[in-house]
Amino acid sequence: MVVLFGKVGRVSDARKLFDGLVGRDMVRWTAMLSCYEQNEMFHDAPEIFGQMRVEGVGMDVVVVVVVSVLSACANLLAMKEGELIHGLSVRIGIESYVNLHNALIHMYSRCGNIRAARSLFDASHLLDQISWNSMISGYLNCGSIEEARNLFNSMPTKDIVSWSAMISGYAQHDHFSETLVLFHEMQLQGIRPDETTLVSVISACTHLAALEQGKWIHTYIKKSNLKINTILGTTLIDMYMKCGCVENALEIFQGMEDKGVSSWNAVILGLAVNGLVEESLDKFSEMKRCGVAPN
DNA sequence: ATAGGGTTAG
């Protein structure tokens, strides 16, 4: 009920209900917090954390909840609110939990405050793989490819996420040849790409009109039994359509289990730019029949 | 109810 009130914007009703509850467990605390989150009322969250402490909730539980709020701030690019939570974490003495520390690095880097992220990173004696990967993706996101690459080179160990973050950084900032070069290097190191890695690599192939390499990756996907999810499928459709291989694109589309609006868009657009106007309009009708709302 | 990092297109 608390969550329900939150979903329809009746926050004060949710709070009244919450205050009247006897015996507040983890479910109820997070329900109240998600209610504030959904209504972007981050300023009210600290009080809830304070109450959790008064009622004797364990620190590790508080950390999980604070991390989830920070993660919401990162997704919403809500840095002011994230800073508020940061200050609160320091006050209640949980800033040195490694998960929390990483959630802070991620929040700042995703919000574009790369300096704040870096100073947490530099000051820390508890860096793990995730801290490094968050920093790399932060540099990406803000277009500092050189810094990202320097950090990447100096990483003690690189996992699949580190490689994918660096590869997608190149792809997102139009460094398509570097994308393919790094992908090649990754394979030489014996790291097997997954669906996420391949999305960036296929996108680079599309921009370079490197159809043969793109086809090689498609074969690799089939051979490795990787699942063609919505994003991967859409990326493949886009590649085949831009290279004029309409049949291959349609084959991918038909085989996809979940077709998001983006997959429909890629097909509709692809048919149109290949001169198949009627087919494009047919697909548009089919999409609406399937209950997918156009955007 | 929640639990830290990488994914497409226009």
Side-chain angles (χ1 to χ4, degrees):
Chain A
M1 199 60 192
V2 171
V3 174
L4 208 60
F5 272 135
K7 283 205 201 288
V8 295
R10 293 170 61 181
V11 181
S12 63
D13 289 329
R15 184 57 197 259
K16 264 185 228 152
L17 194 62
F18 174 80
D19 285 339
L21 294 172
V22 196
R24 297 195 281 213
D25 59 7
M26 192 60 192
V27 176
R28 292 169 184 174
W29 288 111
T30 47
M32 193 59 229
L33 277 167
S34 82
C35 182
Y36 284 137
E37 259 177 64
Q38 293 216 343
N39 293 279
E40 302 191 23
M41 296 169 66
F42 295 97
H43 295 270
D44 296 281
E47 191 217 328
I48 297 287
F49 299 135
Q51 279 197 31
M52 289 178 84
R53 296 196 58 226
V54 170
E55 295 192 18
V57 175
M59 267 308 184
D60 47 343
V61 173
V62 176
V63 169
V64 170
V65 176
V66 177
V67 162
S68 78
V69 176
L70 277 173
S71 150
C73 293
N75 291 332
L76 295 165
L77 303 178
M79 191 172 71
K80 283 263 174 294
E81 291 76 7
E83 279 176 323
L84 206 76
I85 308 290
H86 183 181
L88 178 95
S89 315
V90 175
R91 256 182 287 139
I92 63 179
I94 56 172
E95 81 280 14
S96 57
Y97 280 77
V98 68
N99 312 14
L100 191 104
H101 197 79
N102 286 336
L104 284 171
I105 293 176
H106 177 235
M107 183 276 295
Y108 281 120
S109 69
R110 199 175 132 79
C111 293
N113 191 343
I114 201 73
R115 287 169 53 107
R118 184 62 193 249
S119 66
L120 281 171
F121 182 86
D122 286 337
S124 175
H125 41 77
L126 12 95
L127 297 176
D128 65 7
Q129 193 69 35
I130 293 182
S131 334
W132 284 82
N133 291 343
S134 298
M135 258 337 283
I136 304 237
S137 82
Y139 279 126
L140 304 181
N141 280 336
C142 72
S144 304
I145 303 272
E146 297 271 316
E147 277 93 342
R149 186 57 194 257
N150 289 336
L151 207 61
F152 178 80
N153 289 343
S154 62
M155 279 184 88
T157 51
K158 302 176 182 68
D159 65 10
I160 180 74
V161 174
S162 329
W163 285 93
S164 302
M166 195 64 231
I167 286 171
S168 85
Y170 280 133
Q172 275 167 24
H173 292 90
D174 299 351
H175 294 46
F176 303 120
S177 321
E178 286 94 334
T179 307
L180 298 187
V181 170
L182 195 63
F183 175 59
H184 193 65
E185 205 176 305
M186 170 181 164
Q187 288 174 297
L188 291 178
Q189 301 279 329
I191 314 281
R192 294 182 68 80
D194 66 10
E195 293 87 342
T196 306
T197 328
L198 295 176
V199 166
S200 301
V201 179
I202 295 164
S203 165
C205 291
T206 306
H207 286 93
L208 294 168
L211 181 59
E212 286 314 308
Q213 294 209 56
K215 279 184 170 166
W216 184 88
I217 291 166
H218 187 189
T219 309
Y220 178 90
I221 291 169
K222 289 193 226 169
K223 229 171 43 192
S224 323
N225 276 323
L226 293 174
K227 189 173 169 355
I228 300 193
N229 60 33
T230 309
I231 297 178
L232 184 56
T234 304
T235 312
L236 276 169
I237 291 169
D238 189 57
M239 177 196 76
Y240 279 127
M241 286 297 194
K242 292 211 174 138
C243 294
C245 305
V246 178
E247 286 307 315
N248 301 40
L250 290 177
E251 193 189 311
I252 303 267
F253 182 71
Q254 265 132 35
M256 282 169 69
E257 275 178 34
D258 17 59
K259 305 173 170 68
V261 66
S262 60
S263 342
W264 286 97
N265 288 346
V267 167
I268 291 167
L269 177 71
L271 288 169
V273 299
N274 280 284
L276 300 162
V277 179
E278 300 238 329
E279 289 86 342
S280 177
L281 292 173
D282 286 346
K283 272 281 176 277
F284 182 53
S285 312
E286 192 186 328
M287 176 180 108
K288 288 185 288 185
R289 272 204 308 279
C290 290
V292 177
N295 67 6

